[in-house]
Amino acid sequence: MRACIAGTGSYVPERVLTNADLERMVATSDAWIVERTGIRERRIAAPGEAASDLGAKAAERALAAAGIAAADLDLILVATCTGDSPLPSTACMIQHRLGARRAAACDLSAACCGFVYALGVGDAYIRTGSRHVLVVGTEVMSMLTDWTDRNTCVLFGDGAGAAVLSPSEGDRGMLSSHLHADGTLWDLICVPGGGSRLPPSEKLLAEGQQHIKMKGNETFKVAVKTLEEAAREALAANNLTVEDLDLYVPHQANIRIIKAVVTRLGLPMEKVVLNMDRYGNTSAASIPLALDEAVRGGRVKAGNLVMLEAFGAGLTWASAVIRW
Ligand code: UT7
């Protein structure tokens, strides 16, 4: 018995930060950001609005779409790198908010791949007897952002997406999940400070070590290569070809990465879900947010073959192939 996605939901904070706003903050331009990334605007959480606030709203919508009560959840997995606090887990805060008293709850750290990793873990739990698993990707990336660094501050945004996994009927559901990591490339994207290596201190704050650092150009090249390879790996594992795919939902980091990958694969852009123009890169929230928009927009139909693919810090990369 494999897992199927019984319902999806998403939530983004109200405040919109446009490229024009960023032009007033750093030496950048709307034209550069749109051409180099595909991003036009992103959402920013309100002061005091934390990852569990966004995640719980997305989760409520996913539960409503699935027609499943929070009390029936067995497990809540929350993918985030911007959780409410180091302790307890953001998953426990969401469990509390939902009243999901029976559910085990924990966070999963795999940066932008977190949601696809958590789907793989959730699927494994369903295959071994769990009934309903809630998977949430939620991020307040604005808290990690250095608003004086034009190399990174134009890229990220805040948001949340969620999916309820239930046992599948017939041949629907998660056909495969492939999870990968290469820790030798950990320094391509990182937040150096704030953990046990460099605990919070005035010095750390003064040096800006609490902010996200990225070697964008190198990351770009590895992303294109690994996403193409992982897509081919997932298709081969299911005896499928690119032509069989109805929808491709990639991590929304950069339109140019996505175009390069789908060109190499020979996949038409009409089959690709894109929303980075409105939300930027929301890390673990990126794929569930895009998936929920596709579902609610009627782009995913019963029987469709859907591939999710993510790439991010770690480095990590991952795919999931789903018969809807
Ligand atoms: O979600 C995790 C995974 N993350 C990714 O996949 C991100 C991967 N990387 C990227 O998306 C791209 O590398 C970026 C969008 C981050 C950067 O685009 P790029 O085309 O690789 O630019 P670059 O870093 O090679 O920089 C080109 C130029 C530089 O100027 P010089 O040295 O040529 O004079 C930068 O200083 O663009 C400059 N630049 C900017 N100019 C205007 C960098 N950021 C900006 C900016 N506005 N915001």
Side-chain angles (χ1 to χ4, degrees):
M1 190 71 98
R2 62 172 76 105
C4 70
I5 295 185
T8 62
S10 61
Y11 178 80
V12 290
E14 275 173 31
R15 185 178 158 212
V16 177
L17 185 74
T18 65
N19 290 352
D21 296 328
L22 285 164
E23 283 177 350
R24 291 188 282 275
M25 295 160 66
V26 288
T28 191
S29 67
D30 174 58
W32 190 96
I33 303 171
V34 172
E35 191 201 317
R36 306 307 291 169
T37 72
I39 301 166
R40 293 179 186 276
E41 58 186 46
R42 66 289 290 143
R43 299 301 180 100
I44 303 293
E49 196 173 26
S52 72
D53 299 324
L54 308 183
K57 287 178 179 152
E60 279 164 4
R61 292 173 182 180
L63 286 166
I68 286 164
D72 292 331
L73 291 172
D74 298 309
L75 174 64
I76 299 174
L77 294 168
V78 175
T80 185
C81 58
T82 53
D84 293 22
S85 61
L87 278 173
S89 68
T90 299
C92 280
M93 304 308 284
I94 291 178
Q95 189 238 32
H96 169 56
R97 284 275 288 274
L98 298 175
R101 297 173 68 108
R102 279 185 52 246
C106 70
D107 291 355
L108 190 152
S109 171
C112 302
C113 284
F115 182 81
V116 183
Y117 260 64
L119 267 191
V121 175
D123 180 42
Y125 269 85
I126 299 273
R127 285 175 195 253
T128 49
S130 290
R131 291 289 298 166
H132 303 298
V133 177
L134 172 68
V135 181
V136 181
T138 181
E139 301 281 17
V140 181
M141 294 303 286
S142 55
M143 67 152 285
L144 294 180
T145 304
D146 178 352
W147 294 105
T148 65
D149 175 15
R150 72 173 183 176
N151 291 298
T152 51
C153 77
V154 303
L155 304 175
F156 299 100
D158 303 338
V164 176
L165 301 182
S166 300
S168 70
E169 289 154 21
D171 59 0
R172 284 180 61 204
M174 295 261 302
L175 303 186
S176 68
S177 137
H178 289 87
L179 316 180
H180 296 286
D182 180 357
T184 64
L185 298 173
W186 67 269
D187 67 341
L188 289 190
I189 313 170
C190 67
V191 177
S196 52
R197 179 73 61 199
L198 278 178
S201 68
E202 281 181 24
K203 181 169 177 286
L204 174 144
L205 293 175
E207 291 171 357
Q209 303 278 17
Q210 73 280 24
H211 295 309
I212 194 160
K213 322 274 181 206
M214 184 167 68
K215 296 178 182 166
N217 218 273
E218 289 166 60
T219 306
F220 188 108
K221 288 176 202 154
V222 188
V224 173
K225 185 168 166 286
T226 50
L227 287 173
E228 183 199 356
E229 282 171 8
R232 294 197 189 283
E233 172 193 41
L235 291 170
N238 292 295
N239 289 317
L240 295 165
T241 66
V242 171
E243 288 71 39
D244 295 318
L245 281 179
D246 295 300
L247 210 63
Y248 178 60
V249 189
H251 173 46
Q252 307 285 310
N254 187 320
I255 184 81
R256 289 185 298 129
I257 293 178
I258 296 169
K259 279 188 176 160
V261 172
V262 300
T263 302
R264 286 169 178 224
L265 290 172
L267 185 73
M269 280 304 278
E270 305 86 75
K271 292 188 175 182
V272 183
V273 178
L274 299 171
N275 68 4
M276 87 273 286
D277 57 328
R278 284 167 293 129
Y279 304 124
N281 179 347
T282 57
S283 187
S286 158
I287 285 185
L289 192 50
L291 180 63
D292 184 49
E293 283 197 347
V295 170
R296 286 172 195 266
R299 283 187 76 183
V300 196
K301 297 177 183 61
N304 276 178
L305 193 72
V306 181
M307 181 186 281
L308 316 182
E309 243 199 341
F311 175 87
L315 287 184
T316 51
W317 61 102
S319 74
V321 177
I322 303 163
R323 177 72 68 190
W324 207 262

